[in-house]
Amino acid sequence: MSPKSNQIDKKEPQVEDILSLVRGYSKKDTEIIRKAFDFSRTYHENQKRMSGENYFIHPFETAKILAGLGVGPKTIAAGLLHDTIEDARASEQEIEKEFGKEVLFLVEGVTKLGKLKYRGIKRHSESLRKLFVAMSQDIRVIIIKLADRLHNMKTLEFVRNEKQKRIAEETLEIYAPIAYRLGIGKLKKDLEDLAFPYVYPKEYEKTKELLKNKSKDSQKRLEKIHRTLQRKLAEEGIRILKADFRLKGLYSLCQKLKKNDMDIGKIHDISALRIIVKEISDCYKVLGIIHELWRPLPGRIKDYIADPKSNGYRSIHTTIFTGDGGIAEIQIRTEEMHKEAEFGIASHLSYKGDFKKNNWGLAWIFGLLPYIGPKIAGAKDGPHSKDSDIPNWVKELAEFQADSKQNNFEEDLKFNFFKERIFVFTPKGDVVDLPVGSTSIDFAYAIHSDIGNRMFGAKINGKFLALDTKLKNGDIVEILTRQGSKPSSKWLKDTVTILAQKKIRAALFEEKDNRSGNSKIKKWRGKKRKIK
Ligand code: MN
């Protein structure tokens, strides 16, 4: 056991630690959390984490993260229960009986997502994010999974070395970008900074070193500005509800350094002063007063209130000359904007009406759409500034929304978009996107017509299965080919993709022609083979 495990706080988890983080819950709301707390603790009894801690600490901490995000009681309960099926052998029936269908649905969703294996991450992260989102079906499943991952990242030091890097990579490539897209800035920053040292240890050390000298100076400067500003605003009768200092995340700083020749002098938002006021009109008044006191850097005033970022982020940013040779960034926003920036889509999931089928099932898609919408319309800022940077599936979604009548979008999406697509892996980790009902024959032709034409068998998740077996999300399919194998006409019935059927027909036709001795085609085939 590592020496660290001896230092772990032995304080027993208390359900009050979770309940103290939520507001406005009714007795019934807290009841389900208490019950889930006891259920999970009992089921995880005697189980240990790699850190040597009791296993229950993990669902407990996950639930605390969820409570901090302001989600509803059923989501918190599901957070407590999220590992009970997979790791503690609780049965589905039991969870349904104790907590209802909806909580079971969430727990199962998280369990399913946990089974996905991410291979070939670097090449396919976009597809994997899509798979992740498509499989979760409900925004709350994603949020629980993000909270689960955040706690796992906090305890990553106890995991075997070779696993550490894979988990951290997954976090940087899949989880943090999803948190960003859902606008949950707080989770995104924490996930990135926890993963950073494991994935890029050298860059991490360098960034830390560069930051060390810089941050103290700018902190002092910001404090001085804050005092001056506070006085002036009080004179003008504007009340600051809250002011804080935001330090840029190390990973995000490193990304910015890379774009600026690793010159930290060029980066002005390492730390920023954040002013939170009551009304939107106050934001503009504060901006005016700041510019009266200090000269702004030209071109650095950003009005994300009038023109929100693609993930919905709103604030006013300005960068000023502090007058003592320094430069500082100030961000101005209302409380509501602040909540949205920290908690994103989670901030819209009020605990009330934790589940209304019509509003909930795919409500998360609306969280993705602001991110997509302006990009399609050709806006310039945001992480995906070029049209070519927009992943195809995101474009498809946006087009799909445009085609769909406003009111039915969510329903349509459920039935026509995700319900009809599955995502299947090659053994190397490439993701193939197919319609529901596809078989390994469709899969083979989607990769290459030669593979389809020469296939004689398929292994699905390592097992030989009939060629007409319908594939499921996340299946890993290996196609076995042999020289001289040929498609059969039965395959036309065993496929659903137009592409596969077209290729099969062509191959059957060619075959027939061959038998009748058409030498032209024979020659052509011969040539093609040689090129291969
Ligand atoms: Mn877990």
Side-chain angles (χ1 to χ4, degrees):
M1 206 172 278
S2 91
K4 283 221 161 130
S5 57
N6 297 327
Q7 297 160 15
I8 286 161
D9 190 358
K10 289 281 187 270
K11 191 178 155 293
E12 279 287 305
Q14 303 292 329
V15 71
E16 271 69 28
D17 298 337
I18 300 170
L19 296 176
S20 68
L21 297 168
V22 300
R23 301 234 179 296
Y25 274 24
S26 68
K27 185 119 194 301
K28 204 175 140 229
D29 292 337
T30 54
E31 215 40 61
I32 191 168
I33 296 175
R34 287 179 192 279
K35 203 166 152 192
F37 181 92
D38 291 337
F39 187 97
S40 175
R41 190 171 51 186
T42 310
Y43 267 92
H44 290 300
E45 209 161 37
N46 302 324
Q47 286 183 321
K48 297 276 184 220
R49 299 259 295 166
M50 298 271 206
S51 61
E53 289 176 306
N54 287 331
Y55 193 97
F56 180 62
I57 296 279
H58 168 64
F60 169 70
E61 290 295 334
T62 303
K64 270 168 65 186
I65 294 167
L66 288 168
L69 289 172
V71 298
K74 287 178 181 163
T75 311
I76 296 175
L80 281 162
L81 300 170
H82 82 269
D83 278 332
T84 54
I85 294 182
E86 184 76 354
D87 296 330
R89 292 157 189 254
S91 71
E92 279 93 350
Q93 292 86 331
E94 224 168 335
I95 290 179
E96 186 176 344
K97 194 176 134 244
E98 299 294 327
F99 303 98
K101 267 205 170 66
E102 196 183 325
V103 171
L104 173 66
F105 164 78
L106 295 175
V107 174
E108 280 184 319
V110 176
T111 307
K112 244 196 290 171
L113 273 187
K115 283 189 183 148
L116 280 183
K117 293 194 181 60
Y118 299 105
R119 296 155 184 246
I121 269 188
K122 280 279 152 59
R123 279 181 304 158
H124 306 293
S125 35
E126 194 48 51
S127 312
L128 292 167
R129 274 175 228 140
K130 179 182 182 180
L131 173 68
F132 185 97
V133 169
M135 277 193 75
S136 43
Q137 299 283 341
D138 186 302
I139 180 69
R140 293 171 300 171
V141 172
I142 300 182
I143 292 176
I144 297 168
K145 199 64 200 160
L146 289 173
D148 169 46
R149 175 53 60 106
L150 180 58
H151 183 248
N152 282 335
M153 287 307 297
K154 286 182 181 169
T155 51
L156 193 61
E157 60 180 303
F158 301 106
V159 169
R160 271 183 318 193
N161 278 351
E162 66 272 23
K163 257 179 94 182
Q164 278 176 343
K165 195 173 174 208
R166 181 185 65 76
I167 294 173
E169 250 172 24
E170 232 176 60
T171 303
L172 271 191
E173 298 291 326
I174 316 281
Y175 290 78
I178 288 173
Y180 175 80
R181 283 178 202 190
L182 298 177
I184 315 175
K186 202 175 147 38
L187 282 186
K188 179 219 170 220
K189 181 180 168 188
D190 290 351
L191 287 168
E192 279 181 352
D193 285 348
L194 288 164
F196 187 21
Y198 293 98
V199 184
Y200 304 106
K202 277 187 206 137
E203 283 91 336
Y204 172 75
E205 288 304 330
K206 179 142 196 218
T207 310
K208 217 170 65 176
E209 194 56 41
L210 283 170
L211 184 66
K212 213 165 70 189
N213 312 315
K214 186 88 184 181
S215 62
K216 259 195 194 141
D217 278 9
S218 58
Q219 184 82 6
K220 269 191 205 141
R221 206 167 269 142
L222 287 179
E223 278 164 22
K224 215 173 110 194
I225 290 172
H226 178 217
R227 283 193 299 272
T228 311
L229 187 60
Q230 212 172 13
R231 256 198 318 271
K232 183 77 181 172
L233 288 177
E235 280 172 32
E236 305 279 337
I238 298 168
R239 199 159 68 92
I240 298 179
L241 296 180
K242 204 176 137 201
D244 60 17
F245 303 98
R246 183 233 55 175
L247 200 61
K248 200 175 186 63
L250 266 190
Y251 182 69
S252 124
L253 175 60
C254 177
Q255 301 297 100
K256 205 155 186 180
L257 279 167
K258 281 183 186 161
K259 281 186 216 148
N260 287 279
D261 326 304
M262 296 306 274
D263 180 359
I264 198 152
K266 289 184 183 163
I267 297 168
H268 305 308
D269 65 344
I270 295 167
S271 55
L273 173 61
R274 208 175 257 161
I275 304 285
I276 295 160
V277 290
K278 192 144 185 284
E279 309 281 349
I280 291 183
S281 59
D282 291 340
C283 295
Y284 292 99
K285 280 183 209 153
V286 172
L287 180 73
I289 290 165
I290 291 170
H291 288 173
E292 233 173 82
L293 292 169
W294 298 281
R295 196 155 67 83
L297 253 75
R300 295 297 296 260
I301 306 160
K302 289 174 194 146
D303 185 354
Y304 295 123
I305 295 179
D307 188 16
K309 276 196 194 183
S310 41
N311 65 353
Y313 176 85
R314 292 184 300 160
S315 266
I316 297 173
H317 293 187
T318 184
T319 307
I320 53 162
F321 293 103
T322 55
D324 55 2
I327 285 171
E329 179 171 303
I330 307 179
Q331 306 177 347
I332 315 154
R333 52 175 76 158
T334 64
E335 251 180 331
E336 192 196 343
M337 292 173 197
H338 184 57
K339 218 174 120 198
E340 278 175 11
E342 296 279 297
F343 305 130
I345 197 160
S347 72
H348 297 293
L349 310 183
S350 116
Y351 80 95
K352 282 174 198 148
D354 205 359
F355 193 78
K356 270 192 238 126
K357 261 213 171 90
N358 296 336
N359 299 331
W360 268 87
L362 282 165
W364 56 267
I365 211 73
F366 295 104
L368 287 175
L369 287 172
Y371 166 84
I372 302 158
K375 295 302 133 220
I376 300 295
K380 283 188 191 89
D381 62 71
H384 290 285
S385 49
K386 286 189 303 251
D387 190 58
S388 59
D389 285 345
I390 303 169
N392 272 334
W393 69 278
V394 171
K395 280 189 214 162
E396 276 169 42
L397 262 183
E399 279 158 21
F400 191 83
Q401 186 204 24
D403 286 348
S404 176
K405 277 180 227 119
Q406 270 298 349
N407 296 342
N408 294 328
F409 173 57
E410 216 178 303
E411 280 301 293
D412 283 359
L413 192 68
K414 215 179 219 166
F415 291 111
N416 297 326
F417 193 81
F418 287 128
K419 279 280 157 72
E420 293 192 348
R421 305 304 290 182
I422 52 166
F423 303 93
V424 182
F425 295 93
T426 69
K428 279 187 188 154
D430 293 297
V431 178
V432 181
D433 171 354
L434 292 166
V436 165
S438 291
T439 63
S440 43
I441 306 171
D442 291 295
F443 175 85
Y445 280 102
I447 296 172
H448 198 283
S449 53
D450 274 350
I451 295 185
N453 285 338
R454 286 187 290 140
M455 83 182 282
F456 72 92
K459 275 188 184 174
I460 302 172
N461 302 322
K463 272 185 231 141
F464 278 106
L465 288 172
L467 290 184
D468 61 357
T469 308
K470 294 205 186 335
L471 300 176
K472 293 189 305 298
N473 251 329
D475 278 347
I476 299 166
V477 184
E478 185 185 348
I479 300 296
L480 304 160
T481 59
R482 180 163 61 197
Q483 205 65 38
S485 265
K486 289 180 187 92
S488 92
S489 57
K490 182 181 174 286
W491 287 12
L492 289 169
K493 281 192 215 112
D494 295 341
T495 48
V496 295
T497 54
I498 313 257
L499 176 85
Q501 292 170 350
K502 222 166 95 186
K503 300 282 180 194
I504 294 165
R505 261 187 222 108
L508 291 171
F509 179 75
E510 193 183 320
E511 184 58 27
K512 205 171 116 201
D513 247 27
N514 243 345
R515 276 203 300 269
S516 59
N518 188 324
S519 57
K520 257 186 199 164
I521 286 180
K522 234 183 205 165
K523 233 187 210 163
W524 177 80
R525 277 186 66 186
K527 260 187 200 158
K528 200 175 175 203
R529 285 253 161 84
K530 258 177 228 156
I531 295 165
K532 283 264 108 189

